[in-house]
Amino acid sequence: MERGSEGRTGSALFAGFRALGLFSTDIPHVVRFSALKRRFYVTTCVGKSFHTYDVQKLSLVAVSNSLPQDICCMAADGRLVFAAYGNVFSAFARNKEVVHTFKGHKAEIHLLQPFGDHIISVDTDSILIIWHIYSEEEYLQLTFDKSVFKISAILHPSTYLNKILLGSEQGSLQLWNVKSNKLLYTFQGWKIGVTALQQAPAVDVVAVGLRSGQVIIHNIKFDETLMKFHQDWGPVTSISFRTDGHPIMAAGSPCGHIGLWDLEDKKLINQMRNAHSTAIAGLTFLHREPLLVTNGADNALRIWIFDGPTGEGRLLRFRMGHSAPLTKIRYYGQNGQQILSASQDGTLQSFSTVHEKFNKSLGHGLINKKRVKRKGLQNALSVRLPPITKFAAEEARESDWDSIIACHQGKLSCSTWNYQRSTIGAYFLKPKELKKDDITATAVDITSCGNFAVIGLSSGAVDVFNMQSGIHRGSFGEDQAHKGSVRGVAVDGLNQLTITTGSEGLLKFWNFKNKILIHSMSLDSSPNMMLLHRDSGILGLALDDFSISVLDIETRKIVREFSGHQGQINDLTFSPDGRWLISASMDCSVRTWDLPSGCLIDSFLLDSAPLNVTMSPTGDFLATSHVDHLGIYLWSNISLYSVVSLRPLPTDYVPSVVMLPGTCQTQDVELLEETIEPSDEMIEYDSPEQLNEQLVTLSLLPESRWKNLLNLDVIKKKNKPKEPPKVPKSAPFFIPTVPGLVPRYAAPEQNNDPHQSKVVNLGILAQKSDFCLKLEEGLVNNKYEAALNLLKELGPSGIETELRSLSPDCGGSVEVMQSFLKMIGMMLDRKRDFELAQAYLALFLKLHLKMLPSEPVLLEEMTKLSSQVEENWIHLQSLFNQSMCILNYIKSALL
């Protein structure tokens, strides 16, 4: 098997980090009160996990561990949060960890109701099960006939011990005692399906929301209707009551409106229109506070405060993301902390990778902002701009004028946006009057100085505008730059070149200043998009034949071509250093191409096709957006904090599917075994002492051991003290040591014989050193490794002493000197410890040069060594000259 099936799973370069911009789904939120911290917390579902926010500042407190499937309903008590997925539900402690899991339903669970030490769950087949939380055992199971009583709502009425109230889609209600398993009473209802049940502040009184939009305030003790309200916005989605002294009831609707009803005067006192752009999933008044918490499927969580005289709620705090799938994302600025994103909901937003409090929305684009301000917000929907399809941003002059330009779906004019003021800009950049009405803007770019915007149109025209004044500054080409639709425009970093490409398959280079065509080249296929890395001058082109071409804008030649995608390439991005090109395709793959080697070095698949991909300017994160997903997904760059093998992938490599960040990461036995067994990428490389016998190899000794051997006498003279050392009056005790490179303690002298002779034994003086003995052995067996190792352990002074003692005058012999020269020859033959051989030989010649010519044996060895040294040095000199020649050519030649 190839490398794809060995030790590699998923991506080797990118690991899922987290998702940005996800705050709420269509699952109702849950509000909890912490008695310990005296604070309210709101929990919202975000796919397979849930977020917990502190209501006081709406700051994120905790993110739960992921579940295997999307959460379909939630509930909470004072200690645990319950989340159902499919026919299973789990209990979470500390807003994070799963502590209990309950399995027993056969259909999907859609209702959960905490009940003291028990939890009640209801599935879509109207089977009700009561569980004991801590033992995870079934306490009671009730089965209802779906055709007669299909449970749609559940409530535990206050002060009603062991009793629950069930609402049905058929309209009737039932009151059950779950301890005795008895049906106590059946309310006939109003022949309309029940959608919501809520306990009123008064005992025995319950609010019933119906599918027709009616809200019934009913006394369940006497089965009497106290009052009725009706909303014309469709079924009632949720109900809540104020408990801070005002008799107000709030009711949600599927169109995002909230009705506020006065229970004393029995009338509608206010409407909160467009509180959400989609259905109100849940609304809750905080206990004894004038605060209303709402969430909806528009990916928004909002807190409203009722402090005005008219009783109308105003927006106090919110967390909001995009309510429709994203169309374009790009990093903004050079610090890699903000990501600009455009969506099909028409908004342009900025998400922070550091903290949610730095998120901001630039709002919807409006065709005429002044008219909206004059006539009010009621007409805002009719003058909103279509969704943004492409945008370009440059922060160079963001404090002086608008720094973002965007083209809209089906629109000719391009809008400018101001990032600092978080609003739409002052101008709509529209080219000169055109004959056709169906012409739209298809490509935009901003120069690196932030002064000019370049806009490409579907008619083939390319225009330049001034960002400060909005004035038209010229067009490329006589009538049009391209015969087909413009697919991409780019300006280099110095405002000298403008590159444009059209659907007819031509790539053109223009002079930015005088708008003259410099060069034109045809492509193998029609381009889909274009991206320029300004720092390196590398241009990436995604073609309609699913291939990628990379050009150098200086030479205007194609330098790399990549193929392998099986679907349309949606987006490209470069790494900050320009070495990697990352592509996202409709075949659900994200591929990383290494430009210097021209190889594919990483590839992984996703569940949903990636629409956009952008790399952080600091290189720490890769951000992606996907089909039918509202969030931005961050992937950390593993190569920044770990050793990554960048070997090319084989042509038959099959990438594996990687889960999006924040989803469940299952670790099975096979994965654990693979991590235990080292793969070929994880084995640490131990360098041998010599890579090849033909290569000159240096030793690993520090320079101080060999560099100054010839200058030892000068160094000793410099280090000689001016005055003799003085013995201190009370010298401290030192353990005597033996002089040498490695310190050793001296053995105590044993002077047992008081009459020992003081005559010096000449035999002791004549004793040879270990180095001399090893050299004598080397003459016999021709092995000098032991002698060389001894010499390596010595310092410069020790080496000089050993070499000086080789001469016959100092206790050595001619044979030992011959053996030393043979050892140097062996080192030169093997090309190992090259610098040591040169240094030792130089010191040897300095010490014994006068006596060498008088010994024929030594003279013969010296002749051999001279030829060896000369041969080695000529070889090295030629290599040095060759390298220096290439370096000088690279420095001086115009490449």
Side-chain angles (χ1 to χ4, degrees), residues 290-454:
L291 297 177
L292 176 66
V293 181
T294 63
N295 80 300
D298 59 349
N299 195 19
L301 172 67
R302 294 184 169 96
I303 297 179
W304 311 81
I305 185 169
F306 294 82
D307 55 357
T310 59
E312 184 179 359
R314 65 177 177 87
L315 188 61
L316 181 64
R317 285 181 287 271
F318 66 92
R319 289 283 181 263
M320 182 182 68
H322 287 294
S323 59
L326 280 63
T327 57
K328 182 84 170 177
I329 63 171
R330 279 292 177 267
Y331 268 93
Y332 181 78
Q334 296 302 315
N335 58 4
Q337 294 180 358
Q338 289 88 27
I339 300 177
L340 277 176
S341 66
S343 166
Q344 293 176 7
D345 61 9
T347 61
L348 182 65
Q349 299 192 29
S350 171
F351 293 98
S352 171
T353 60
V354 179
H355 197 278
E356 289 177 347
K357 67 182 179 182
F358 300 119
N359 293 356
K360 63 179 183 179
S361 173
L362 280 70
H364 283 86
L366 300 176
I367 296 175
N368 193 328
K369 197 183 343 182
K370 292 181 179 178
R371 192 178 73 180
V372 172
K373 285 185 176 179
R374 189 169 62 249
K375 294 189 176 182
L377 291 173
Q378 284 75 19
N379 298 321
L381 292 175
S382 60
V383 294
R384 283 182 175 174
L385 287 168
I388 294 172
T389 55
K390 301 281 177 62
F391 67 82
E394 180 57 55
E395 67 168 356
R397 303 300 293 270
E398 66 172 4
S399 57
D400 300 323
W401 51 76
D402 300 337
S403 58
I404 303 169
I405 182 169
C407 52
H408 298 262
Q409 182 178 329
K411 292 283 289 184
L412 172 61
S413 57
C414 293
S415 59
T416 60
W417 299 73
N418 193 296
Y419 185 82
Q420 275 198 341
R421 297 203 308 267
S422 303
T423 182
I424 193 168
Y427 304 108
F428 283 96
L429 306 182
K430 186 176 182 180
K432 56 187 178 181
E433 295 297 327
L434 300 168
K435 298 179 180 179
K436 295 182 180 179
D437 297 332
D438 57 348
I439 297 175
T440 60
T442 56
V444 289
D445 194 20
I446 287 186
T447 57
S448 58
C449 60
N451 288 305
F452 298 99
V454 183

Side-chain angles (χ1 to χ4, degrees), residues 404-661:
I404 303 169
I405 182 169
C407 52
H408 298 262
Q409 182 178 329
K411 292 283 289 184
L412 172 61
S413 57
C414 293
S415 59
T416 60
W417 299 73
N418 193 296
Y419 185 82
Q420 275 198 341
R421 297 203 308 267
S422 303
T423 182
I424 193 168
Y427 304 108
F428 283 96
L429 306 182
K430 186 176 182 180
K432 56 187 178 181
E433 295 297 327
L434 300 168
K435 298 179 180 179
K436 295 182 180 179
D437 297 332
D438 57 348
I439 297 175
T440 60
T442 56
V444 289
D445 194 20
I446 287 186
T447 57
S448 58
C449 60
N451 288 305
F452 298 99
V454 183
I455 301 173
L457 305 181
S458 59
S459 63
V462 179
D463 298 275
V464 181
F465 292 85
N466 187 285
M467 288 293 291
Q468 182 182 7
S469 62
I471 298 175
H472 185 262
R473 292 298 185 192
S475 302
F476 292 97
E478 294 180 0
D479 292 329
Q480 56 189 24
H482 292 272
K483 293 182 179 179
S485 173
V486 177
R487 296 286 177 85
V489 294
V491 184
D492 71 343
L494 300 176
N495 289 6
Q496 292 182 344
L497 273 180
T498 302
I499 304 107
T500 63
T501 184
S503 59
E504 78 277 8
L506 287 179
L507 182 72
K508 295 185 177 182
F509 296 83
W510 309 80
N511 185 298
F512 179 79
K513 188 175 182 180
N514 55 29
K515 314 292 187 297
I516 297 175
L517 180 64
I518 299 174
H519 182 70
S520 178
M521 61 181 293
S522 59
L523 302 170
D524 295 337
S525 177
S526 177
N528 180 41
M529 68 158 296
M530 182 175 72
L531 182 68
L532 174 66
H533 188 259
R534 283 175 174 162
D535 293 342
S536 63
I538 297 296
L539 185 74
L541 281 163
L543 306 180
D544 283 345
D545 61 357
F546 311 151
S547 67
I548 300 172
S549 295
V550 181
L551 287 90
D552 183 0
I553 64 173
E554 292 291 334
T555 60
R556 306 187 192 105
K557 292 181 180 179
I558 295 178
V559 292
R560 295 286 185 272
E561 288 185 339
F562 302 118
S563 60
H565 279 294
Q566 304 298 319
Q568 175 185 313
I569 298 170
N570 294 324
D571 204 1
L572 300 172
T573 186
F574 286 97
S575 62
D577 56 3
R579 291 183 62 88
W580 297 346
L581 176 63
I582 302 164
S583 58
S585 169
M586 286 302 290
D587 60 7
C588 296
S589 69
V590 175
R591 298 179 180 234
T592 304
W593 312 86
D594 187 62
L595 295 180
S597 64
C599 298
L600 174 68
I601 57 173
D602 188 62
S603 176
F604 61 95
L605 292 174
L606 296 156
D607 291 332
S608 180
L611 285 177
N612 294 280
V613 61
T614 177
M615 190 84 173
S616 166
T618 55
D620 49 358
F621 291 115
L622 177 75
T624 60
S625 68
H626 301 266
V627 174
D628 295 333
H629 284 262
L630 306 182
I632 299 172
Y633 297 90
L634 292 182
W635 308 79
S636 60
N637 185 355
I638 300 176
S639 65
L640 292 184
Y641 54 85
S642 177
V643 178
V644 177
S645 172
L646 296 181
R647 279 177 284 177
L649 297 179
T651 54
D652 57 348
Y653 174 74
V654 179
S656 57
V657 178
V658 177
M659 304 299 287
L660 289 175

Side-chain angles (χ1 to χ4, degrees), residues 32 50 79-81 91-100:
R32 305 167 64 202
F50 59 83
R79 293 161 294 180
L80 302 172
V81 177
F92 288 79
R94 295 176 292 278
N95 299 313
K96 189 172 183 66
E97 305 161 354
V98 175
V99 291
H100 302 291

Side-chain angles (χ1 to χ4, degrees), residues 48-49 66-67 70 607 633 658-666:
K48 297 182 174 68
S49 59
S66 295
L67 292 170
D70 286 342
D607 291 332
Y633 297 90
V658 177
M659 304 299 287
L660 289 175
T663 54
C664 183
Q665 296 181 357
T666 54

Side-chain angles (χ1 to χ4, degrees), residues 274-292:
N274 300 313
H276 288 267
S277 60
T278 58
I280 305 293
L283 54 85
T284 308
F285 276 107
L286 298 187
H287 186 60
R288 295 188 176 180
E289 290 191 30
L291 297 177
L292 176 66

Side-chain angles (χ1 to χ4, degrees), residues 158 198-206 240-243 246-248 263:
S158 296
Q198 182 62 38
Q199 173 69 50
V203 181
D204 302 325
V205 179
V206 171
S240 186
F241 291 88
R242 282 184 71 173
T243 54
H246 296 268
I248 305 296
L263 300 178

